[in-house]
């Protein structure tokens, strides 16, 4: 099956996946600041890895002439490229509308006419948000068509093989590059660290900083800690908690979508509840193993390459 993920992007270049590794369209190994080499990408950028497919920036459509079977099309705000544009170029493809960016720069949910038109013109629609998510419900108001839940896939094997072991009793304080999503993560992490006399670490990275192996540096930092505090109050996808589940670090706090599946007992912003839960995890080894095993089980069920690939095939076939 010939697959392409198509969107706009200012940092990520077009690439082709071959045998689980990304290459530029002229065949050179491809990586960027938020990948680890050309083998490990995050979230949205993993869809091409499911099919050994393409990622195509909308400005690069003229560079390939293959007869694609399936396209996931995430156009958030570019008027010039529509579903009709893709149908002319790839007439036999099933076009699934999706989303890449959800928020405007001033923190408003993107519910534009561009998004509405793409939803209604596509053959199907998906987002990485589960059905009862408040953001998903607002997206559903743009169309009478069913919106499918297609999570952003996780390269579980890579994280488990490289980062799962050697945890210390410590807390990683997650700092999002958007302050409103960091919220009071640092304060909660500091409180828990002081309460249980365990060290707290942080490592800030920003996707806008180029030429640095940011993802590798960040992953090496958080994966050494038993806990990560990420008190993001938004109902966004929850990419970091999926990475934690694969890497064996327990996510603490936040309202992100994935948290409710992977870490239901810590899916809260109530600091007293979090304090009680962390105390139980520290003092009860069997309970700690239960938390980690549940997260890993649910991760495979919903976010693994095989699971997400099958969800896409269920729409297409």
């Amino acid at each position: 099956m010939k697959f392409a993920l198509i969107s706009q992007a200012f940092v990520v270049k077009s690439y082709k996946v071959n045998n689980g590794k990304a290459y530029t369209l002229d065949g050179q190994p491809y990586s960027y600041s938020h990948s680890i080499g050309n083998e490990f990408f995050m979230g949205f950028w993993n869809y091409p890895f499911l099919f050994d497919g393409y990622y195509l920036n909308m400005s690069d459509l003229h560079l390939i002439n293959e007869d694609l079977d399936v396209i996931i099309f995430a156009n958030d705000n570019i008027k010039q490229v529509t579903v009709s544009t893709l149908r002319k170029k790839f007439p036999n493809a099933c076009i699934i509308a999706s989303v890449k960016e959800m928020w405007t720069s001033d923190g408003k949910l993107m519910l534009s006419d561009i998004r509405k038109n793409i939803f209604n013109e596509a053959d199907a629609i998906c987002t990485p948000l589960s059905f009862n998510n408040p953001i998903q419900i607002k997206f559903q108001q743009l169309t009478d068509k069913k919106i499918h839940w297609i999570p952003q896939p996780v390269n579980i094997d890579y994280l488990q093989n490289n980062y799962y072991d050697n945890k210390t009793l410590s807390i990683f304080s997650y700092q999002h590059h958007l302050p409103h999503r960091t919220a009071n993560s640092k304060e909660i992490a500091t409180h828990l660290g002081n309460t249980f006399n365990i060290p707290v670490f942080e490592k800030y990275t920003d996707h806008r900083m180029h030429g640095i192996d940011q993802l590798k540096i960040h992953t090496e930092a958080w994966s050494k800690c038993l806990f990560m505090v990420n008190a993001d109050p938004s109902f966004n996808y929850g990419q970091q908690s999926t990475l934690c589940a694969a890497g064996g670090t327990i996510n603490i706090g936040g309202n992100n979508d994935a948290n409710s599946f992977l870490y239901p007992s810590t899916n809260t912003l109530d600091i007293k509840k979090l304090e009680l839960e962390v105390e139980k995890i520290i003092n009860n080894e069997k309970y700690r193993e239960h938390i980690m095993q549940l997260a890993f089980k649910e991760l495979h069920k919903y976010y693994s390459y095989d699971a997400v690939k099958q969800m896409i095939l269920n729409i297409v076939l």
Side-chain angles (χ1 to χ4, degrees), residues 36 74 108 122 130 136 163 191 201 246 252 278 281 292 296 317:
I36 301 178
K108 295 180 180 179
S130 59
Q136 178 83 321
Y163 296 104
H191 172 78
F201 302 97
I252 302 295
V278 169
I281 292 170
M292 296 172 69
F296 201 66
L317 300 179

Side-chain angles (χ1 to χ4, degrees), residues 159 164 222 228 239-251 263:
L159 284 169
Y164 197 88
W222 66 254
M228 175 184 287
Q239 178 174 260
Q240 187 58 54
S241 62
T242 66
L243 301 182
C244 283
T249 292
I250 299 171
N251 185 82
Y263 299 101

Side-chain angles (χ1 to χ4, degrees), residues 21-53:
K21 296 183 178 181
Y23 298 87
T24 60
L25 298 187
D26 61 0
Q28 300 303 309
Y30 177 67
S31 62
Y32 73 111
S33 58
H34 265 51
S35 71
I36 301 178
N38 69 333
E39 184 176 1
F40 184 79
F41 284 39
M42 287 203 305
F44 178 83
W45 309 107
N46 273 332
Y47 289 117
F49 285 79
L50 306 181
F51 298 93
D52 269 5

Side-chain angles (χ1 to χ4, degrees), residues 100-112:
K100 176 176 169 282
E101 305 297 337
M102 297 186 189
W103 306 96
T104 62
S105 58
D106 57 355
K108 295 180 180 179
L109 188 62
M110 289 185 183
L111 299 171
S112 66

Side-chain angles (χ1 to χ4, degrees), residues 9-189:
F10 301 104
V11 175
V12 181
K13 298 179 180 179
S14 297
Y15 55 87
K16 173 72 169 69
V17 178
N18 186 25
N19 292 324
K21 296 183 178 181
Y23 298 87
T24 60
L25 298 187
D26 61 0
Q28 300 303 309
Y30 177 67
S31 62
Y32 73 111
S33 58
H34 265 51
S35 71
I36 301 178
N38 69 333
E39 184 176 1
F40 184 79
F41 284 39
M42 287 203 305
F44 178 83
W45 309 107
N46 273 332
Y47 289 117
F49 285 79
L50 306 181
F51 298 93
D52 269 5
Y54 288 96
Y55 167 69
L56 296 174
N57 193 303
M58 288 189 289
S59 62
D60 291 338
L61 297 181
H62 64 287
L63 295 179
I64 72 163
N65 294 304
E66 291 195 43
D67 187 14
L68 297 176
D69 299 305
V70 180
I71 294 170
I72 291 183
F73 181 39
N75 181 357
D76 302 314
N77 54 20
I78 304 298
K79 295 180 180 179
Q80 293 80 4
V81 183
T82 66
V83 172
S84 295
T85 306
L86 300 187
R87 291 203 192 283
K88 290 177 183 177
K89 175 72 176 176
F90 308 106
N92 297 315
C94 174
I95 300 174
I96 304 172
S98 190
V99 299
K100 176 176 169 282
E101 305 297 337
M102 297 186 189
W103 306 96
T104 62
S105 58
D106 57 355
K108 295 180 180 179
L109 188 62
M110 289 185 183
L111 299 171
S112 66
D113 287 342
I114 294 174
R115 176 157 284 165
K116 180 178 181 179
N117 291 338
I118 289 173
F119 277 10
N120 287 312
E121 292 172 6
D123 298 306
I125 310 166
C126 73
T127 79
L129 303 171
S130 59
F131 298 114
N132 294 324
N133 185 294
I135 303 173
Q136 178 83 321
I137 292 170
K138 291 183 178 180
F139 282 145
Q140 185 64 72
Q141 293 171 357
L142 295 177
T143 180
D144 292 331
K145 294 181 178 179
K146 176 183 178 180
I147 298 182
H148 298 268
W149 176 38
I150 305 294
Q152 294 176 355
V154 180
N155 187 340
I156 299 173
D157 289 344
Y158 186 91
L159 284 169
Q160 186 182 31
N161 292 338
N162 291 281
Y163 296 104
Y164 197 88
D165 296 326
N166 302 318
K167 298 288 180 287
T168 64
L169 182 55
S170 57
I171 297 170
F172 185 86
S173 176
Y174 182 73
Q175 305 297 303
H176 199 281
H177 72 276
L178 297 175
H180 72 275
R181 293 190 60 188
T182 295
N184 63 336
S185 293
K186 188 171 184 177
E187 289 80 0
I188 293 176

